[in-house]
Amino acid sequence: MREDTGPHQVAVIPGDGIGPEVIEAALAVLRATGVPLEFQRYQAGDECLEKQGTALPPETLAGALAAEAVLFGAVGKTAAEVILRLRRELNTFVNLRPTRAFPGVDCLYPELKLVIVRENTEGLYSGLEDEITPGVVTATRVITQAASQRIARFAFEYALRNGFGQVTAIHKANVLQKSDGLFLRAARAVAAEYPQIEYQEALVDSTAMNLVLRPERFQILLTPNLFGDILSDLAAGLVGGLGLCPSANLGDKHALFEPVHGSAPDIAGRNIANPTAAILCGAMLLRHFGELASAERVERALEQAIAAGQGTTDLGGSLSTTEMAQAVIGRMP
Ligand code: NAI
Ligand code: MG
């Protein structure tokens, strides 16, 4: 619990490409809520590497560690050095990726709502790659009981608190018998403590197909690191694209909010990126601070704007990034 009543301290890392464009839009919406927030900006990413010789300067890391929350845009080629490192340093062991359709957006599943709860500290993203001899490279996939249990517990608690009745553990234990075997045993042990939540298991490859054919079978997908990364982009495709999907990296002490998408070099610098994911990150940040009413105001205004056709071109609209943010602000009560 915070003791002082000053503004919440938020570290803002806009990054590269469309990162700064969508983050500006999100900041405009956050300012319009009137919630006392203080934003401190930091550099990171490809451009930062060019200018400063490092993609994640020490002051950026220190700023992220000192802030109450981080709002992150996207970086380009330096993603591993920047975002993976930040997730590790902040020990944000959960990567929470809610995916939902918006009325008015042409997509495969206009009713879809599902949540990916992705383990965020280990798996194939442990940073353990090695060229053991020229022409042979290994990548170590680390799965631990402690991290698997911790992420499973988060998934079930999240289900309970948010009215979901089912959790599906995603795995490839038929091939990765030891590592995903351990992941599943941990998930089962936690599932046994939540008899009110239905628990199922599904192979990652058939899940990719089933998400396309019958996604309504799923509510919460509990995944190791890599599978969650891949399936969350697939899920984004079901509801109308990456421009719509926010994520939260959560730990015991730190929280970092970022769109699922990257720096989108193909559309960067043109003020046409969809700011929805970044604005939804802002709403998640407000919720994290306990500002539920403001978070809902933002989400309702965004829904209304999208439904009224006030969206960017990827949504079938004709607004620029900044115009869409203004349209959302204009609809905030
Ligand atoms: P991407 O997410 O940047 O783009 C994929 C496609 O979706 C592109 O066609 C792009 O135009 C579109 N798109 C993404 N966000 C959009 C938005 N807000 N509005 C409208 N369209 C949007 O993924 P890609 O192309 O695979 O990667 C580009 C760069 O981003 C790479 O250098 C990659 O390393 C980096 N990246 C960084 C991430 C991070 O910072 N967390 C995450 C994913 C990729
Ligand atoms: Mg990804």
Side-chain angles (χ1 to χ4, degrees):
M1 218 53 195
R2 272 156 52 92
E3 281 167 21
D4 62 292
T5 51
H8 293 285
Q9 303 295 319
V10 180
V12 179
I13 307 176
D16 299 311
I18 65 167
E21 302 173 37
V22 297
I23 287 297
E24 270 324 307
L27 291 179
V29 172
L30 282 172
R31 284 191 202 99
T33 63
V35 173
L37 302 167
E38 205 164 279
F39 302 112
Q40 188 74 46
R41 281 162 197 274
Y42 296 96
Q43 306 286 317
D46 300 6
E47 212 181 299
C48 179
L49 175 64
E50 250 171 59
K51 283 194 196 143
Q52 302 191 32
T54 168
L56 184 65
E59 58 271 23
T60 300
L61 182 56
L65 283 163
E68 289 177 72
V70 182
L71 186 60
F72 183 92
V75 295
K77 294 185 184 76
T78 50
E81 290 150 81
V82 177
I83 190 65
L84 293 190
R85 169 107 192 271
L86 277 171
R87 289 171 185 162
R88 259 201 304 276
E89 297 278 351
L90 300 177
N91 198 16
T92 51
F93 55 89
V94 178
N95 195 321
L96 177 67
R97 300 188 151 186
T99 304
R100 53 156 294 197
F102 285 83
V105 176
D106 186 24
C107 68
L108 286 172
Y109 293 100
E111 306 287 318
L112 189 63
K113 180 175 173 191
L114 52 87
V115 178
I116 293 177
V117 175
R118 160 184 171 194
E119 204 292 322
N120 213 23
T121 59
E122 54 180 33
L124 255 182
Y125 291 180
S126 302
L128 301 172
E129 283 196 308
D130 210 8
E131 182 173 28
I132 49 177
T133 185
V136 183
V137 174
T138 60
T140 304
R141 186 170 187 266
V142 179
I143 302 283
T144 65
Q145 183 172 0
S148 302
Q149 245 169 22
R150 188 171 61 172
I151 194 69
R153 188 162 304 285
F154 180 91
F156 280 92
E157 282 296 319
Y158 184 88
L160 266 191
R161 279 184 279 116
N162 294 280
F164 290 91
Q166 178 216 65
V167 171
T168 307
I170 306 299
H171 67 96
K172 189 73 186 176
N174 52 345
V175 176
L176 301 167
Q177 294 179 358
K178 286 192 179 158
S179 53
D180 274 356
L182 177 59
F183 182 76
L184 284 184
R185 281 199 303 283
R188 282 173 203 157
V190 174
E193 296 175 35
Y194 296 84
Q196 63 277 59
I197 309 281
E198 183 196 343
Y199 171 68
Q200 54 181 18
E201 296 173 352
L203 288 163
V204 63
D205 41 2
S206 65
T207 298
M209 181 194 69
N210 282 321
L211 277 172
V212 174
L213 292 181
R214 39 188 95 84
E216 64 284 355
R217 279 192 182 179
F218 302 102
Q219 292 183 24
I220 293 184
L221 303 181
L222 163 64
T223 77
N225 206 338
L226 173 73
F227 298 161
D229 191 8
I230 296 170
L231 292 182
S232 52
D233 277 29
L234 195 159
L238 301 176
V239 299
L242 279 168
L244 296 170
C245 301
S247 76
N249 298 269
L250 306 170
D252 289 331
K253 285 204 198 120
H254 301 285
L256 180 151
F257 302 86
E258 53 163 338
V260 171
H261 64 72
S263 61
D266 54 338
I267 58 166
R270 291 159 57 196
N271 195 23
I272 58 168
N274 186 347
T276 299
I279 293 170
L280 289 171
C281 285
M284 288 178 101
L285 179 139
L286 290 170
R287 217 166 247 127
H288 175 73
F289 287 144
E291 302 282 354
L292 305 187
S294 295
E296 270 166 33
R297 275 169 69 213
V298 169
E299 286 162 355
R300 293 297 88 78
L302 185 61
E303 280 163 18
Q304 287 168 14
I306 292 173
Q310 292 178 302
T312 42
T313 47
D314 58 304
L315 298 178
S318 59
L319 299 191
S320 67
T321 310
T322 39
E323 285 166 347
M324 183 169 176
Q326 287 311 313
V328 173
I329 291 167
R331 288 175 180 275
M332 272 162 49

